[in-house]
Amino acid sequence: EDDSEEDEEANAAPPVRNGAAGSGSAGRAGAADSLMDLLGDISMPVEQPMQATPPKPNAPPPLTLTPAVTLDSNTFQAQWGALTETTTWTVPCSGNPTPQALVSALAAHNIKCMAFGTVGGQHKCYFYGQQPDGPVFLSELIVELASQSAKAT
């Protein structure tokens, strides 16, 4: 057998499950044969079996959010305005998901939506969640329709 074929198999990206980041579909045959993640170029070939990824040593425990959290718009705005530390990331976003689809997908993980809408070629969504007996997390998600990218703060 050809050694380069074995090298390609050894260097293939691992399967992606539950929204975990992968290397995307670049270089893989048959983009139609891939399942695409809602927000990005995160894919898994259909012909590969789905396998759970073992936790990394020293990895933090998964984030668990409470379904009971509520927050009114005035409190959300006051807390958003008082933030002193934020992190922002941008990812490719294939298919331009609707705000309703984003809200539904995140609600399944106890992430609540404060507000959403489409303004000037952007879907904007404002989300919050809370760890049991822990801090409240606030997030702004902007999907740029023209560039098919999503930015979260």
Side-chain angles (χ1 to χ4, degrees), residues 55-63 131:
K56 295 179 182 176
N58 302 325
L63 181 64
Q131 290 179 296

Side-chain angles (χ1 to χ4, degrees), residues 14-23 28 42-44 48 50-51 53:
V16 176
R17 185 174 179 157
N18 294 334
S23 63
R28 293 188 192 153
I42 302 171
S43 61
M44 179 183 69
Q48 289 186 357
M50 293 177 86
Q51 299 172 359
T53 304

Side-chain angles (χ1 to χ4, degrees), residues 42-142:
I42 302 171
S43 61
M44 179 183 69
V46 172
E47 59 273 7
Q48 289 186 357
M50 293 177 86
Q51 299 172 359
T53 304
K56 295 179 182 176
N58 302 325
L63 181 64
T64 302
L65 300 175
T66 180
V69 65
T70 59
L71 196 63
D72 63 76
S73 61
N74 289 335
T75 303
F76 184 98
Q77 289 179 344
Q79 289 182 0
W80 186 266
L83 289 174
T84 58
E85 184 178 327
T86 62
T87 301
T88 301
W89 51 264
T90 302
V91 295
C93 181
S94 60
N96 286 331
T98 65
Q100 295 85 350
L102 295 169
V103 170
S104 293
L106 294 174
H109 300 283
N110 296 322
I111 299 172
K112 312 263 179 124
C113 183
M114 177 57 60
F116 67 87
T118 302
V119 178
Q122 297 178 324
H123 294 322
K124 291 186 177 185
C125 301
Y126 296 88
F127 296 102
Y128 65 96
Q130 183 177 21
Q131 290 179 296
D133 301 319
V136 173
F137 296 96
L138 307 176
S139 180
E140 174 187 55
L141 177 64
I142 300 173

